[in-house]
mmCIF file of all heavy atoms in Angstrom:
data_model
loop_
_atom_site.group_PDB
_atom_site.id
_atom_site.type_symbol
_atom_site.label_atom_id
_atom_site.label_comp_id
_atom_site.label_asym_id
_atom_site.label_seq_id
_atom_site.Cartn_x
_atom_site.Cartn_y
_atom_site.Cartn_z
ATOM 1 N N PHE A 176 -16.127 5.087 -6.967
ATOM 2 C CA PHE A 176 -15.770 3.736 -7.415
ATOM 3 C C PHE A 176 -14.925 3.805 -8.695
ATOM 4 O O PHE A 176 -13.930 3.101 -8.839
ATOM 5 C CB PHE A 176 -17.012 2.875 -7.650
ATOM 6 C CG PHE A 176 -16.660 1.511 -8.181
ATOM 7 C CD1 PHE A 176 -16.300 0.485 -7.319
ATOM 8 C CD2 PHE A 176 -16.629 1.262 -9.559
ATOM 9 C CE1 PHE A 176 -15.928 -0.760 -7.803
ATOM 10 C CE2 PHE A 176 -16.247 0.018 -10.060
ATOM 11 C CZ PHE A 176 -15.900 -0.992 -9.169
ATOM 12 N N ALA A 177 -15.349 4.678 -9.622
ATOM 13 C CA ALA A 177 -14.615 4.805 -10.889
ATOM 14 C C ALA A 177 -13.163 5.208 -10.614
ATOM 15 O O ALA A 177 -12.224 4.663 -11.203
ATOM 16 C CB ALA A 177 -15.285 5.837 -11.784
ATOM 17 N N CYS A 178 -12.987 6.142 -9.686
ATOM 18 C CA CYS A 178 -11.640 6.590 -9.329
ATOM 19 C C CYS A 178 -10.857 5.431 -8.711
ATOM 20 O O CYS A 178 -9.724 5.149 -9.091
ATOM 21 C CB CYS A 178 -11.749 7.763 -8.353
ATOM 22 S SG CYS A 178 -10.151 8.340 -7.762
ATOM 23 N N PHE A 179 -11.513 4.732 -7.789
ATOM 24 C CA PHE A 179 -10.885 3.604 -7.092
ATOM 25 C C PHE A 179 -10.425 2.534 -8.084
ATOM 26 O O PHE A 179 -9.288 2.072 -8.077
ATOM 27 C CB PHE A 179 -11.905 3.020 -6.112
ATOM 28 C CG PHE A 179 -11.433 1.808 -5.355
ATOM 29 C CD1 PHE A 179 -10.853 1.935 -4.105
ATOM 30 C CD2 PHE A 179 -11.584 0.532 -5.894
ATOM 31 C CE1 PHE A 179 -10.422 0.816 -3.407
ATOM 32 C CE2 PHE A 179 -11.149 -0.582 -5.213
ATOM 33 C CZ PHE A 179 -10.560 -0.442 -3.959
ATOM 34 N N ASP A 180 -11.351 2.165 -8.961
ATOM 35 C CA ASP A 180 -11.096 1.060 -9.878
ATOM 36 C C ASP A 180 -10.039 1.445 -10.926
ATOM 37 O O ASP A 180 -9.133 0.676 -11.222
ATOM 38 C CB ASP A 180 -12.412 0.680 -10.564
ATOM 39 C CG ASP A 180 -12.310 -0.654 -11.268
ATOM 40 O OD1 ASP A 180 -11.728 -1.581 -10.675
ATOM 41 O OD2 ASP A 180 -12.795 -0.758 -12.417
ATOM 42 N N SER A 181 -10.154 2.651 -11.456
ATOM 43 C CA SER A 181 -9.254 3.050 -12.545
ATOM 44 C C SER A 181 -7.859 3.384 -12.038
ATOM 45 O O SER A 181 -6.892 3.268 -12.769
ATOM 46 C CB SER A 181 -9.799 4.278 -13.270
ATOM 47 O OG SER A 181 -11.169 4.107 -13.534
ATOM 48 N N GLU A 182 -7.774 3.832 -10.791
ATOM 49 C CA GLU A 182 -6.471 4.268 -10.265
ATOM 50 C C GLU A 182 -5.789 3.195 -9.427
ATOM 51 O O GLU A 182 -4.819 3.487 -8.718
ATOM 52 C CB GLU A 182 -6.637 5.547 -9.442
ATOM 53 C CG GLU A 182 -7.111 6.756 -10.241
ATOM 54 C CD GLU A 182 -6.080 7.254 -11.255
ATOM 55 O OE1 GLU A 182 -4.888 6.973 -11.082
ATOM 56 O OE2 GLU A 182 -6.494 7.910 -12.232
ATOM 57 N N ASP A 183 -6.258 1.946 -9.485
ATOM 58 C CA ASP A 183 -5.654 0.889 -8.669
ATOM 59 C C ASP A 183 -5.528 1.317 -7.203
ATOM 60 O O ASP A 183 -4.471 1.174 -6.590
ATOM 61 C CB ASP A 183 -4.279 0.487 -9.213
ATOM 62 C CG ASP A 183 -4.394 -0.575 -10.290
ATOM 63 O OD1 ASP A 183 -4.788 -1.699 -9.973
ATOM 64 O OD2 ASP A 183 -4.117 -0.249 -11.463
ATOM 65 N N ALA A 184 -6.629 1.861 -6.670
ATOM 66 C CA ALA A 184 -6.610 2.249 -5.257
ATOM 67 C C ALA A 184 -6.895 1.025 -4.396
ATOM 68 O O ALA A 184 -7.425 0.012 -4.866
ATOM 69 C CB ALA A 184 -7.637 3.333 -5.000
ATOM 70 N N GLN A 185 -6.480 1.116 -3.130
ATOM 71 C CA GLN A 185 -6.830 0.068 -2.183
ATOM 72 C C GLN A 185 -7.792 0.597 -1.133
ATOM 73 O O GLN A 185 -8.517 -0.153 -0.510
ATOM 74 C CB GLN A 185 -5.563 -0.482 -1.532
ATOM 75 C CG GLN A 185 -4.766 -1.307 -2.536
ATOM 76 C CD GLN A 185 -3.382 -1.639 -2.045
ATOM 77 O OE1 GLN A 185 -2.720 -0.810 -1.450
ATOM 78 N NE2 GLN A 185 -2.929 -2.845 -2.310
ATOM 79 N N TYR A 186 -7.772 1.896 -0.941
ATOM 80 C CA TYR A 186 -8.692 2.513 -0.001
ATOM 81 C C TYR A 186 -8.871 3.970 -0.370
ATOM 82 O O TYR A 186 -7.899 4.697 -0.586
ATOM 83 C CB TYR A 186 -8.146 2.396 1.430
ATOM 84 C CG TYR A 186 -9.119 2.848 2.479
ATOM 85 C CD1 TYR A 186 -10.240 2.088 2.786
ATOM 86 C CD2 TYR A 186 -8.913 4.050 3.158
ATOM 87 C CE1 TYR A 186 -11.146 2.512 3.742
ATOM 88 C CE2 TYR A 186 -9.822 4.480 4.118
ATOM 89 C CZ TYR A 186 -10.933 3.716 4.411
ATOM 90 O OH TYR A 186 -11.832 4.126 5.356
ATOM 91 N N LEU A 187 -10.143 4.389 -0.481
ATOM 92 C CA LEU A 187 -10.455 5.799 -0.725
ATOM 93 C C LEU A 187 -11.505 6.186 0.300
ATOM 94 O O LEU A 187 -12.470 5.458 0.490
ATOM 95 C CB LEU A 187 -11.091 5.997 -2.112
ATOM 96 C CG LEU A 187 -10.255 6.033 -3.380
ATOM 97 C CD1 LEU A 187 -11.161 6.479 -4.537
ATOM 98 C CD2 LEU A 187 -9.079 6.978 -3.233
ATOM 99 N N GLU A 188 -11.295 7.292 0.949
ATOM 100 C CA GLU A 188 -12.298 7.717 1.922
ATOM 101 C C GLU A 188 -12.481 9.218 1.820
ATOM 102 O O GLU A 188 -11.489 9.954 1.774
ATOM 103 C CB GLU A 188 -11.854 7.344 3.336
ATOM 104 C CG GLU A 188 -12.889 7.669 4.389
ATOM 105 C CD GLU A 188 -12.337 7.480 5.792
ATOM 106 O OE1 GLU A 188 -11.543 8.329 6.235
ATOM 107 O OE2 GLU A 188 -12.694 6.482 6.432
ATOM 108 N N VAL A 189 -13.731 9.642 1.771
ATOM 109 C CA VAL A 189 -14.011 11.073 1.867
ATOM 110 C C VAL A 189 -14.855 11.269 3.114
ATOM 111 O O VAL A 189 -15.963 10.730 3.226
ATOM 112 C CB VAL A 189 -14.766 11.598 0.620
ATOM 113 C CG1 VAL A 189 -15.120 13.070 0.823
ATOM 114 C CG2 VAL A 189 -13.901 11.436 -0.622
ATOM 115 N N ASN A 190 -14.316 11.993 4.072
ATOM 116 C CA ASN A 190 -15.036 12.239 5.307
ATOM 117 C C ASN A 190 -14.661 13.617 5.824
ATOM 118 O O ASN A 190 -13.559 13.805 6.317
ATOM 119 C CB ASN A 190 -14.675 11.160 6.341
ATOM 120 C CG ASN A 190 -15.542 11.278 7.578
ATOM 121 O OD1 ASN A 190 -16.621 11.883 7.527
ATOM 122 N ND2 ASN A 190 -15.071 10.727 8.680
ATOM 123 N N PRO A 191 -15.515 14.609 5.719
ATOM 124 C CA PRO A 191 -16.892 14.445 5.253
ATOM 125 C C PRO A 191 -17.081 14.760 3.762
ATOM 126 O O PRO A 191 -16.304 15.484 3.177
ATOM 127 C CB PRO A 191 -17.607 15.524 6.073
ATOM 128 C CG PRO A 191 -16.571 16.604 6.217
ATOM 129 C CD PRO A 191 -15.231 15.910 6.276
ATOM 130 N N VAL A 192 -18.193 14.178 3.245
ATOM 131 C CA VAL A 192 -18.767 14.651 1.986
ATOM 132 C C VAL A 192 -19.757 15.720 2.422
ATOM 133 O O VAL A 192 -20.538 15.478 3.338
ATOM 134 C CB VAL A 192 -19.533 13.517 1.274
ATOM 135 C CG1 VAL A 192 -20.107 14.006 -0.050
ATOM 136 C CG2 VAL A 192 -18.668 12.289 1.094
ATOM 137 N N VAL A 193 -19.658 16.896 1.820
ATOM 138 C CA VAL A 193 -20.576 17.952 2.302
ATOM 139 C C VAL A 193 -21.490 18.449 1.181
ATOM 140 O O VAL A 193 -21.159 18.347 -0.003
ATOM 141 C CB VAL A 193 -19.817 19.154 2.905
ATOM 142 C CG1 VAL A 193 -18.927 18.689 4.051
ATOM 143 C CG2 VAL A 193 -19.012 19.886 1.850
ATOM 144 N N LEU A 194 -22.614 18.980 1.619
ATOM 145 C CA LEU A 194 -23.575 19.548 0.670
ATOM 146 C C LEU A 194 -23.348 21.052 0.637
ATOM 147 O O LEU A 194 -23.593 21.752 1.625
ATOM 148 C CB LEU A 194 -24.994 19.231 1.157
ATOM 149 C CG LEU A 194 -26.115 19.549 0.194
ATOM 150 C CD1 LEU A 194 -26.060 18.633 -1.030
ATOM 151 C CD2 LEU A 194 -27.468 19.381 0.894
ATOM 152 N N ARG A 195 -22.818 21.550 -0.510
ATOM 153 C CA ARG A 195 -22.515 22.977 -0.596
ATOM 154 C C ARG A 195 -23.824 23.762 -0.601
ATOM 155 O O ARG A 195 -24.693 23.472 -1.418
ATOM 156 C CB ARG A 195 -21.693 23.253 -1.855
ATOM 157 C CG ARG A 195 -21.239 24.692 -1.965
ATOM 158 C CD ARG A 195 -20.016 24.857 -2.851
ATOM 159 N NE ARG A 195 -20.322 24.445 -4.227
ATOM 160 C CZ ARG A 195 -19.387 24.300 -5.181
ATOM 161 N NH1 ARG A 195 -18.108 24.505 -4.892
ATOM 162 N NH2 ARG A 195 -19.728 23.931 -6.392
ATOM 163 N N GLU A 196 -23.887 24.752 0.285
ATOM 164 C CA GLU A 196 -25.167 25.454 0.458
ATOM 165 C C GLU A 196 -25.599 26.172 -0.802
ATOM 166 O O GLU A 196 -26.743 26.099 -1.207
ATOM 167 C CB GLU A 196 -25.051 26.439 1.613
ATOM 168 C CG GLU A 196 -25.172 25.741 2.954
ATOM 169 C CD GLU A 196 -24.987 26.705 4.124
ATOM 170 O OE1 GLU A 196 -24.461 27.824 3.895
ATOM 171 O OE2 GLU A 196 -25.354 26.334 5.232
ATOM 172 N N GLN A 197 -24.650 26.866 -1.447
ATOM 173 C CA GLN A 197 -25.039 27.730 -2.574
ATOM 174 C C GLN A 197 -25.676 26.978 -3.736
ATOM 175 O O GLN A 197 -26.615 27.470 -4.349
ATOM 176 C CB GLN A 197 -23.837 28.537 -3.074
ATOM 177 C CG GLN A 197 -22.757 27.668 -3.700
ATOM 178 C CD GLN A 197 -21.415 28.388 -3.734
ATOM 179 O OE1 GLN A 197 -20.804 28.630 -2.706
ATOM 180 N NE2 GLN A 197 -20.991 28.735 -4.931
ATOM 181 N N ASP A 198 -25.197 25.734 -4.051
ATOM 182 C CA ASP A 198 -25.762 25.044 -5.216
ATOM 183 C C ASP A 198 -26.170 23.608 -4.916
ATOM 184 O O ASP A 198 -26.468 22.837 -5.833
ATOM 185 C CB ASP A 198 -24.752 25.069 -6.367
ATOM 186 C CG ASP A 198 -23.445 24.425 -5.967
ATOM 187 O OD1 ASP A 198 -23.321 23.999 -4.783
ATOM 188 O OD2 ASP A 198 -22.546 24.327 -6.816
ATOM 189 N N SER A 199 -26.169 23.212 -3.653
ATOM 190 C CA SER A 199 -26.564 21.862 -3.246
ATOM 191 C C SER A 199 -25.768 20.766 -3.973
ATOM 192 O O SER A 199 -26.303 19.716 -4.302
ATOM 193 C CB SER A 199 -28.061 21.631 -3.483
ATOM 194 O OG SER A 199 -28.814 22.512 -2.694
ATOM 195 N N GLU A 200 -24.512 21.056 -4.194
ATOM 196 C CA GLU A 200 -23.683 20.025 -4.826
ATOM 197 C C GLU A 200 -22.878 19.287 -3.764
ATOM 198 O O GLU A 200 -22.496 19.870 -2.742
ATOM 199 C CB GLU A 200 -22.722 20.670 -5.839
ATOM 200 C CG GLU A 200 -22.094 19.615 -6.725
ATOM 201 C CD GLU A 200 -21.284 20.215 -7.881
ATOM 202 O OE1 GLU A 200 -21.359 21.440 -8.124
ATOM 203 O OE2 GLU A 200 -20.581 19.431 -8.531
#
Side-chain angles (χ1 to χ4, degrees):
Chain A
F176 177 84
C178 177
F179 177 94
D180 194 43
S181 314
E182 296 293 338
D183 274 293
Q185 289 168 319
Y186 188 72
L187 281 189
E188 184 188 75
V189 176
N190 187 20
V192 181
V193 302
L194 189 67
R195 185 157 63 190
E196 281 177 343
Q197 66 200 68
D198 58 358
S199 297
E200 193 172 350

